[in-house]
Amino acid sequence: MSNAPVFSIDPVAFHADPYPTLAAMRETAPVCFVPELGATLFTRRDDVFAHEKRIDLFSSHQPNGLLTRVMGPNMMRKDGDAHMFERRALFPALSPRTVRDVLAPQFHAIVQGHIDRLKPQGGCDLVSDFAMPVSADALRVMTGLTNMEAAEMDAASQAMLDAAANYQRDPKVDAKGHGYAARVLDLIKDRLPTLRAAPDLSIISVLDQAGLGVDAIAGNVRVIIGGGQNEPRDAIAGAAWAVLHHPDQHTLIKDGTARWEDVFAEYVRLVAPIGMSPRRVAYDGQACGVDFETDELIFFMFGSACRDAAHFTDPDHFDVTRNTGPAIPFGAGPHFCAGAAASRTLIAGHALPMLFDQLPGLALAGDVPFAGWAFRGPVRVPVTWEA
């Protein structure tokens, strides 16, 4: 174990709202061992930014890590040439050109379809009724898993992520996650003959065209389903809440002072949907004055880094005019989120502006609880509008 100071947490309170605890860590023990998580946490922005790139010491290669056990071998848990080979294979599916020319028109149609469905109702839960199916339908076309329904995509994402963050080792959580992992593999096998007959720019197809085997394709698609479903779902609903909860900020958007891209950037700073990245200590070494031992588990806390008062004035406040440049909600090193551009286009380019433009009188209609620390978002966002 590292010789970092020990900082105990209440896991229930940390899941409900990690930010007061993370602020205390940044102030008093910015690199600390948390016995309830069995890991040493890096919580300050500059430390995360610098040391996430030290893949020699803090390796993504975790053959026995929870994420690898659930998802299978994947590029997120590889470094160096092995990581770059699979990342380059993925690039055609998520390149700026593909996002602009292939995905953006489909995103627009997906969002429009769900708004048309909901508009006569006069109200809904933005999480379950809008953000979840929009995110899932976008992910279906991105991955090529068009044989997977939106609700199953969302359930698979949640179950696999829960298992990948199951540091309390609940056997029911593990069983559910592994069950959905097997289901994803079966659906990929079903799709491959069609995609081989007519290759396209979907993720399954481009990985297959690059020569990856079905297990490698499945490992990467599972990881992409995890982040690619939860992050946009939570950011769509959460950013909508933030704008509705702060009418002064909504005014800045309506009068042209701020853009929906600013809303997206500020929201993912305030509530990083993917709050941390785990790493394995590759050899005995030192960082931030702390001695680490081989095979220790460490967490780079993106959600904490994005609220670091050393970089952000009043960091717990939602401000669409803020310079979010120092924020690192998608990581900072070689594992920077490959889907960040697609997520930004879906959310800032389509989901948010279309929602607010086409549902007049959109307003909150109840409490909006948030949950999670490894993956964080609103549990529900009840809203009404003029039908």
Side-chain angles (χ1 to χ4, degrees):
M1 189 179 81
S2 75
N3 63 353
V6 175
F7 198 115
S8 290
I9 65 169
D10 176 344
V12 174
F14 199 63
H15 184 268
D17 183 3
Y19 299 117
T21 301
L22 291 171
M25 290 177 180
R26 290 194 302 271
E27 180 67 25
T28 64
V31 179
C32 58
F33 178 76
V34 178
E36 293 80 6
L37 301 178
T40 298
L41 278 56
F42 285 68
T43 60
R44 287 183 179 169
R45 185 267 178 196
D46 288 348
D47 292 340
V48 173
F49 184 83
H51 294 292
E52 189 201 0
K53 300 172 184 177
R54 293 184 63 187
I55 59 173
D56 61 322
L57 177 57
F58 300 119
S59 174
S60 295
H61 181 54
Q62 300 170 43
N64 295 314
L66 291 181
L67 188 139
T68 304
R69 291 181 188 180
V70 177
M71 308 294 191
N74 61 84
M75 70 183 74
M76 282 291 293
R77 290 296 170 262
K78 297 177 182 179
D79 288 318
D81 292 342
H83 167 75
M84 287 308 301
F85 171 77
E86 295 187 10
R87 193 176 181 100
R88 283 193 294 267
L90 176 66
F91 179 76
L94 298 173
S95 72
R97 178 177 293 180
T98 300
V99 171
R100 182 193 66 205
D101 297 342
V102 177
L103 294 176
Q106 296 183 81
F107 291 167
H108 183 91
I110 287 166
V111 173
Q112 189 63 63
H114 286 294
I115 290 177
D116 290 344
R117 172 179 57 84
L118 291 170
K119 192 169 185 177
Q121 299 180 15
C124 75
D125 172 11
L126 283 181
V127 176
S128 62
D129 298 327
F130 179 68
M132 184 279 281
V134 163
S135 180
D137 283 342
L139 195 54
R140 289 170 69 236
V141 300
M142 290 168 63
T143 59
L145 279 176
T146 52
N147 54 342
M148 191 176 203
E149 295 299 321
E152 187 176 27
M153 180 75 78
D154 187 72
S157 172
Q158 194 62 56
M160 291 188 296
L161 288 179
D162 287 346
N166 186 24
Y167 294 101
Q168 281 72 45
R169 305 298 174 90
D170 184 328
K172 293 181 180 179
V173 172
D174 277 345
K176 189 174 182 180
H178 284 277
Y180 273 109
R183 171 66 173 161
V184 170
L185 176 61
D186 289 342
L187 290 170
I188 290 171
K189 289 178 178 178
D190 288 345
R191 284 287 290 145
L192 275 172
T194 300
L195 292 171
R196 284 172 177 166
D200 60 18
L201 288 171
S202 68
I203 289 168
I204 294 171
S205 185
V206 300
L207 294 180
D208 184 55
Q209 293 171 58
L212 273 69
V214 66
D215 289 335
I217 294 172
N220 285 301
V221 169
R222 291 180 187 120
V223 168
I224 290 165
I225 288 174
Q229 172 62 13
N230 275 34
E231 184 272 325
R233 181 199 66 198
D234 294 345
I236 290 168
W241 161 82
V243 171
L244 293 170
H245 189 64
H246 300 87
D248 59 322
Q249 301 296 294
H250 193 191
T251 298
L252 295 177
I253 301 161
K254 290 187 288 188
D255 69 16
T257 301
R259 307 165 302 155
W260 287 108
E261 288 80 2
D262 301 318
V263 172
F264 174 80
E266 172 62 353
Y267 177 76
V268 297
R269 180 207 65 82
L270 183 72
V271 184
I274 299 176
M276 71 88 170
S277 178
R279 299 289 176 87
R280 177 184 62 87
V281 178
Y283 57 84
D284 291 359
Q286 187 181 80
C288 300
V290 173
D291 296 322
F292 292 90
E293 296 180 359
T294 303
D295 287 335
E296 282 191 69
L297 180 64
I298 68 110
F299 294 162
F300 289 123
M301 303 299 291
F302 299 142
S304 176
C306 288
R307 291 201 184 199
D308 192 333
H311 288 274
F312 306 104
T313 302
D314 197 6
D316 299 326
H317 179 65
F318 180 70
D319 178 5
V320 296
T321 67
R322 184 192 306 276
N323 173 20
T324 58
I328 49 173
F330 296 105
H335 285 279
F336 179 85
C337 178
S343 179
R344 184 180 299 107
T345 297
L346 173 64
I347 297 166
H350 301 281
L352 291 176
M354 292 171 70
L355 185 74
F356 280 82
D357 288 348
Q358 297 187 37
L359 298 182
L362 187 66
L364 293 173
D367 293 337
V368 178
F370 281 70
W373 60 272
F375 305 94
R376 185 165 181 81
V379 176
R380 62 180 178 273
V381 181
V383 295
T384 58
W385 59 85
E386 299 168 13

